[in-house]
Amino acid sequence: MKKILVTGASGFIGSFIVEEALRRGFETWAAVRKGSSRRYLRDGRIRFVELNLDDAGDLRGKLSAVMPDYVVHAAGATKCLHADDFFRVNTQGTVNLASAVRDVCPGLERFVFISSLSVCGPVRETAPYTEITAADTPRPDTAYGRSKLEAERALDGMPGFPFIVLRPTGVYGPRERDYFMMAESIKKHVDFAAGLRPQDLTFIYVKDLVEAVFLALDHGNTGSRYHLSDGNVYPSRAFSDLIRRELGNPWLLRVKAPLWLLRAITAAGEAVGRLTGRMTALNNDKYKIMRQRNWRCDIGPAVAELGFRPRYGLAEGVREAIEWYKENKWL
């Protein structure tokens, strides 16, 4: 039986990867931080290992006991009070993990790193927008995107290491909290959008991302970057309109703020976060993400090389996600 190690296993994406690994018959190791919730990791077949990505020595010792055939690195920070923390977790944590795996797991077959389309930054921003490709020169304008890009480049600097990079666009689905905030707001009769210029958005349902992970483990090309979405492009209101429909079409106040107002709101959110020690969803990185107009991406290489075939369009994915939020008393 092949062994798979999933970092970030207690998180939104990681927990779905663990479930799929079990379904496929892997000996499944869930790498978690000490004290992490195991709410979505209740299956008795799961084997747990506590990994400290800041401690190279700890990583080597723990990994030598597991000796995985495959590693999926889904752990990472998406919100931080200080930019340095993005690089400590997303960049140096990835370097520490990959280096330890390389040193103590000589039989490793593949290492899949879940990066982000955010590494590309605001490219191809002149309308009519065209697809962002893996060949475009990345120029991320967020600390999060820069930290992920530096991690990718560090993996490039490890000759012979069998890594593959996945760059999903906005990932949504059950257990996810950022898009859930939109559903919560719509239930309270407010839909907030920012920017007056047209925006092209892309999404990927979490189960389609998980399918791409296992396709990459099976036959991804070492060193390749694969952009991932459901293959469609949506106008800015599409997501909120679908949420509203699934919530029974409540009356709605639509607020479309100019970017200068969004900038003021996120700057205030950032300041409050620093004062309270708790980062809010409305922060400086969030402003830059919402400001970006073009999120089209080319999934052609994933389709051609991985056999990636998204099963969920936005309507199907939102329906399933909202059903889960209702069943689990989030909404």
Side-chain angles (χ1 to χ4, degrees):
M1 182 185 294
K2 295 285 188 178
K3 297 181 184 179
I4 186 171
L5 174 74
V6 182
T7 71
S10 62
F12 162 49
I13 295 170
S15 62
F16 277 97
I17 297 171
V18 167
E19 289 177 2
E20 182 62 15
L22 291 170
R23 192 188 71 80
R24 292 174 181 243
F26 286 92
E27 180 181 308
T28 303
W29 288 80
V32 296
R33 292 174 299 174
K34 187 175 182 179
S36 293
S37 169
R38 301 186 184 187
R39 178 180 179 185
Y40 304 120
L41 302 172
R42 300 291 176 84
D43 193 301
R45 296 171 293 172
I46 299 172
R47 304 181 183 218
F48 291 94
V49 58
E50 291 183 0
L51 293 186
N52 179 0
L53 297 182
D54 293 329
D55 188 334
D58 176 77
L59 286 169
R60 284 174 172 78
K62 298 285 180 61
L63 288 168
S64 63
V66 177
M67 295 297 287
D69 300 291
Y70 302 102
V71 173
V72 180
H73 184 33
T78 58
K79 300 182 188 71
C80 293
L81 284 173
H82 305 288
D84 288 349
D85 289 333
F86 282 114
F87 295 92
R88 177 180 60 82
V89 176
N90 295 341
T91 307
Q92 193 58 48
T94 301
V95 171
N96 290 344
L97 176 65
S99 298
V101 169
R102 178 190 57 186
D103 292 346
V104 305
C105 304
L108 183 78
E109 296 185 32
R110 281 193 172 83
F111 180 104
V112 170
F113 174 48
I114 299 183
S115 185
S116 169
L117 189 62
S118 291
V119 304
C120 298
V123 299
R124 300 177 182 264
E125 286 282 279
T126 301
Y129 307 130
T130 56
E131 293 177 336
I132 301 167
T133 75
D136 287 319
T137 300
R139 48 186 188 91
D141 61 350
T142 63
Y144 170 73
R146 289 193 297 272
S147 69
K148 286 285 194 178
L149 180 60
E150 286 195 18
E152 290 185 17
R153 288 173 171 167
L155 293 173
D156 283 331
M158 298 174 62
F161 188 62
F163 76 93
I164 295 154
V165 174
L166 300 182
R167 291 176 174 173
T169 184
V171 187
Y172 70 101
R175 308 173 192 167
E176 197 278 334
R177 292 190 174 274
D178 286 350
Y179 287 114
F180 162 71
M181 291 174 61
M182 183 187 297
E184 193 174 39
S185 178
I186 289 170
K187 185 178 180 180
K188 295 176 180 177
H189 309 291
V190 177
D191 177 31
F192 179 84
L196 304 181
R197 286 196 298 127
Q199 187 176 36
D200 283 357
L201 297 176
T202 52
F203 303 92
I204 185 169
Y205 191 60
V206 64
K207 292 180 182 178
D208 279 335
L209 171 55
V210 171
E211 178 67 17
V213 166
F214 285 89
L215 289 169
L217 288 174
D218 187 48
H219 52 268
N221 292 325
T222 295
S224 291
R225 274 76 163 163
Y226 296 105
H227 291 177
L228 299 173
S229 76
D230 67 11
N232 299 305
V233 179
Y234 302 94
S236 56
R237 268 183 50 172
F239 201 95
S240 59
D241 284 347
L242 288 168
I243 291 174
R244 185 187 183 200
R245 186 181 73 183
E246 296 303 322
L247 292 177
N249 292 307
W251 66 266
L252 200 59
L253 174 64
R254 295 190 183 274
V255 179
K256 192 166 187 177
L259 286 174
W260 64 263
L261 180 57
L262 175 65
R263 184 70 187 94
I265 292 170
T266 54
E270 182 101 3
V272 170
R274 294 185 185 281
L275 287 173
T276 62
R278 296 182 61 185
M279 179 54 71
T280 67
L282 291 173
N283 52 62
N284 289 337
D285 261 17
K286 187 68 172 179
Y287 164 72
K288 291 171 181 175
I289 290 170
M290 294 180 72
R291 178 181 64 183
Q292 187 168 324
R293 299 288 94 182
N294 180 28
W295 289 95
R296 290 172 175 258
C297 61
D298 176 19
I299 68 169
V303 171
E305 297 173 19
L306 302 182
F308 177 57
R309 298 289 187 277
R311 294 183 295 115
Y312 286 85
L314 193 59
E316 296 82 6
V318 168
R319 182 181 306 115
E320 195 168 289
I322 296 298
E323 285 177 1
W324 186 91
Y325 291 134
K326 289 177 179 177
E327 289 171 0
N328 288 270
K329 312 301 181 188
W330 288 34
L331 287 173

